[in-house]
Amino acid sequence: MFDTEGDHDGEKPKGVFSTLMADGEWLYVKGEYKKAIESFTTALTLKPGEKNCYVGRSKCYLKMGQAENALKDAESSLKGDKTFFEGLYQKAEALYYMGEFEFALVFYHRGQKLRPQIQEFRLGIQKAQEAIENSVGSPSVKLEIKGDLSFLQKDEERAQPITAIQHLTKEKKQQTQKTPKSEKTTKQLLGEFYSDKKYLENLLKDEDLVKGKTKGGEQLQDVIQSCLTYLDTCTEFWNQEKPICARERERKLMQQKCSKLRPSAPSEPAQFLLKSLDDIDAELTSGNAEGSLKKAKEVMRTVQGWSEKEVPNKKEVLGSLHSCIGNALIDLGDMDKALDHHRKDLELAKQCKLPEAMSRALDNIGRVYARIGQFTQAIEFWEKKIPLIRGGLEKTWLFHEIGRCHLELNRYKEARDYGVRSVAAADEIADDKWQINANVLVAQSEMKLGNFESCVASFERALTYAKLQEDDSAMNAIQKALDEAKQHLSQ
């Protein structure tokens, strides 16, 4: 990590902003998000409206689970330039973690159109499409748990190509005409969105209106048509994925199962649990950790009173609730209790033989240990997670975090080795931002080992990727460290 103490003495005012930005960036990398926010906030007092500063603070808010604040800062970064791609990405990310998957998808697409070479936009499109796809399935008592949003988001880290909608689009292009559907079928498929579709269709008939433009300069006709096209795509996809008659059968089966519940229990456990987990996530995402904790405990008491017959995957649900409680406790600073709940999550995951739940629990346990400075224990649990890795993003992140723990423990060779593995993983997925982080870790380790030539080479690679990302704050911080490394090399 870079030492910044003492660097401010006697500094000219014109350099203070750059220093604050650089400090904020590295505090973010170190996981000290509150301090990073303070640094970015101070920087904004010197340069109000500076877009990169808003993006930096937005990223910190997102890591702390404050998606609404993250969205506000992302939107502020776009006020002067609607094509600012980092602001677009942050806006999409904030919307995604607020559960606004359709809106997030729009901004991921907009960013990819502007910067098709940037990997994050493509992966964002994939995970948003996956989230939309998952959210339209009919409820069942056997739940796919998604109630764990506050740890470093694994949906993002292990995003896999989601091709269902892409394949559907290709098939539609190959067909000479669409399969006709009755208006009744369309209405059933779209549900509450059907009225939106009819409203948009009526807007298109207003010739004067469609000639207008949005504040961003887009033709209203194009905006409306793109929304209608999206709804048509969803209709085709949902109809192909699960016909109405099949969904009706599943709904009746669900009702039959729920009718067997004892009177004191909610009439539909699946819907109750899904809504409860959404509420728990919403509280944590909005920064209300106490509310999230209270809600999670209430739901857990309810679930504990149910039998395995009423909820076949009871242990899986309880594991997810332990995870939610643990993450709320982390935000509240009660690390001992947080660790206890994440360990219970791990125990239940092992009993149920659920690899993804095991991965989640190991991840969170490692995160707690890293937060309290017990880096050896963090490494122990994170290394157990390695065989469970799914996808290149998760791999590069995990290797990077293990490497940073070794760096904190002054195990510079191990830190470098994990850094090299992180670089290789980032290279596999062509992810420029993780190339920056991983190369910086290698450079820091090489500097501590006294290998200044290798250190300079790694910093230079990191600087190249920072320039490709047009990340001014990262460039300033890396350049500062590179200059220091070159001084050691020349001695």
Side-chain angles (χ1 to χ4, degrees):
M1 298 179 187
F2 302 133
D3 291 328
T4 55
E5 293 178 37
D7 290 344
H8 305 292
D9 294 340
E11 185 153 354
K12 295 180 180 179
K14 65 180 182 180
V16 174
F17 175 81
S18 296
T19 301
L20 286 168
M21 284 291 291
D23 288 348
E25 283 289 331
W26 289 114
L27 286 167
Y28 171 82
V29 170
K30 289 162 66 177
E32 297 180 19
Y33 305 123
K34 288 184 179 179
K35 290 183 180 179
I37 287 172
E38 291 174 4
S39 188
F40 287 127
T41 301
T42 305
L44 280 167
T45 63
L46 299 177
K47 285 191 178 181
E50 211 289 324
K51 59 185 182 181
N52 289 295
C53 201
Y54 275 121
V55 166
R57 194 169 69 175
S58 176
K59 291 192 295 184
C60 295
Y61 279 132
L62 207 55
K63 290 291 187 184
M64 293 177 68
Q66 299 178 25
E68 289 184 3
N69 286 334
L71 179 61
K72 288 177 184 177
D73 274 0
E75 289 177 334
S76 295
S77 76
L78 291 165
K79 283 183 178 178
D81 180 8
K82 298 296 182 185
T83 63
F84 178 45
F85 73 94
E86 289 198 20
L88 285 171
Y89 180 73
Q90 276 306 117
K91 184 171 182 176
E93 286 284 277
L95 287 166
Y96 178 86
Y97 290 117
M98 290 172 69
E100 300 286 357
F101 304 126
E102 290 85 356
F103 288 111
L105 184 61
V106 169
F107 287 97
Y108 285 130
H109 271 299
R110 192 170 295 178
Q112 189 190 43
K113 186 175 180 181
L114 289 168
R115 293 297 177 93
Q117 75 276 18
I118 294 179
Q119 185 83 350
E120 280 87 346
F121 287 121
R122 182 179 65 79
L123 294 172
I125 290 169
Q126 291 171 358
K127 72 180 181 182
Q129 287 176 340
E130 182 180 31
I132 293 167
E133 178 185 342
N134 289 338
S135 70
V136 300
S138 60
S140 64
V141 176
K142 174 64 177 172
L143 296 174
E144 287 295 326
I145 302 304
K146 63 183 186 72
D148 185 30
L149 293 179
S150 62
F151 67 98
L152 189 70
Q153 191 67 22
K154 288 297 155 293
D155 283 341
E156 177 179 355
E157 307 306 337
R158 60 168 180 262
Q160 298 293 316
I162 305 301
T163 57
I165 294 177
Q166 295 168 353
H167 287 169
L168 174 64
T169 305
K170 290 177 183 177
E171 289 169 7
K172 285 172 68 180
K173 289 179 180 178
Q174 292 167 359
Q175 292 172 350
T176 56
Q177 61 181 29
K178 289 184 178 180
T179 304
K181 292 187 299 295
S182 70
E183 199 69 9
K184 181 180 178 182
T185 301
T186 301
K187 189 173 183 179
Q188 286 178 299
L189 286 165
L190 286 177
E192 62 184 299
F193 296 112
Y194 179 75
S195 59
D196 296 328
K197 181 176 185 293
K198 300 305 292 183
Y199 176 72
L200 291 169
E201 287 174 344
N202 288 330
L203 285 182
L204 274 183
K205 296 175 184 178
D206 189 331
E207 295 181 1
D208 293 330
L209 177 70
V210 297
K211 291 178 182 177
K213 292 184 177 181
T214 66
K215 290 182 179 180
E218 295 173 288
Q219 287 286 144
L220 279 175
Q221 183 174 1
D222 293 339
V223 174
I224 296 169
Q225 191 59 59
S226 66
C227 291
L228 285 169
T229 301
Y230 174 73
L231 287 173
D232 286 339
T233 301
C234 289
T235 306
E236 292 286 341
F237 173 67
W238 293 339
N239 189 52
Q240 177 176 304
E241 183 70 12
K242 187 163 292 185
I244 291 291
C245 57
R247 278 186 257 181
E248 286 298 325
R249 285 197 300 272
E250 287 191 12
R251 190 175 292 111
K252 288 178 181 178
L253 180 61
M254 171 70 183
Q255 290 170 350
Q256 290 170 5
K257 288 181 178 179
C258 292
S259 67
K260 298 177 182 178
L261 295 172
R262 56 190 173 81
S264 60
S267 60
E268 295 191 7
Q271 292 182 9
F272 167 75
L273 290 169
L274 286 170
K275 184 181 185 304
S276 297
L277 289 171
D278 283 341
D279 291 344
I280 292 166
D281 284 342
E283 293 287 358
L284 196 61
T285 301
S286 66
N288 184 11
E290 290 182 355
S292 178
L293 179 62
K294 182 180 178 181
K295 179 68 176 176
K297 286 183 175 180
E298 289 173 355
V299 176
M300 179 170 282
R301 282 194 294 270
T302 300
V303 175
Q304 285 172 337
W306 291 348
S307 67
E308 292 283 352
K309 186 177 180 180
E310 291 169 316
V311 182
N313 60 328
K314 179 179 175 179
K315 288 183 178 179
E316 183 180 352
V317 175
L318 287 173
S320 183
L321 288 168
H322 277 299
S323 183
C324 291
I325 291 171
N327 287 320
L329 288 166
I330 289 175
D331 280 10
L332 292 170
D334 195 338
M335 298 301 177
D336 289 339
K337 288 184 179 178
L339 192 59
D340 181 51
H341 281 281
H342 287 308
R343 285 185 179 277
K344 288 177 180 177
D345 180 25
L346 180 60
E347 182 183 342
L348 289 166
K350 287 180 178 178
Q351 289 178 20
C352 299
K353 297 180 180 179
L354 298 169
E356 288 191 18
M358 287 173 61
S359 179
R360 173 187 67 200
L362 290 167
D363 190 349
N364 284 324
I365 292 170
R367 186 165 66 99
V368 173
Y369 277 128
R371 285 280 191 94
I372 60 179
Q374 295 186 23
F375 301 110
T376 301
Q377 290 89 336
I379 291 168
E380 177 189 346
F381 282 92
W382 274 338
E383 286 187 334
K384 290 178 182 177
K385 176 183 167 68
I386 292 175
L388 303 172
I389 289 175
R390 290 182 59 187
L393 273 173
E394 188 172 18
K395 187 189 298 183
T396 190
W397 169 82
L398 185 61
F399 289 158
H400 179 270
E401 292 305 293
I402 295 174
R404 292 203 69 82
C405 286
H406 280 298
L407 193 65
E408 292 286 352
L409 292 167
N410 300 327
R411 299 173 183 169
Y412 305 126
K413 184 179 181 301
E414 291 85 351
R416 179 193 61 194
D417 292 345
Y418 269 107
V420 170
R421 294 172 74 180
S422 183
V423 168
D427 188 49
E428 287 176 7
I429 58 174
D431 190 300
D432 290 348
K433 282 200 172 183
W434 276 107
Q435 282 284 13
I436 296 171
N437 296 333
N439 275 293
V440 165
L441 173 59
V442 174
Q444 290 172 317
S445 305
E446 294 286 26
M447 179 178 280
K448 293 293 186 180
L449 289 167
N451 301 328
F452 299 116
E453 189 172 342
S454 297
C455 169
V456 168
S458 292
F459 272 135
E460 286 178 340
R461 281 194 293 272
L463 185 59
T464 298
Y465 286 112
K467 289 177 179 177
L468 288 173
Q469 288 283 308
E470 299 182 7
D471 190 333
D472 292 336
S473 54
M475 283 191 284
N476 290 336
I478 294 169
Q479 186 63 60
K480 181 180 175 182
L482 179 59
D483 291 342
E484 181 183 345
K486 286 181 176 178
Q487 287 179 1
H488 284 290
L489 186 61
S490 63
Q491 290 175 358

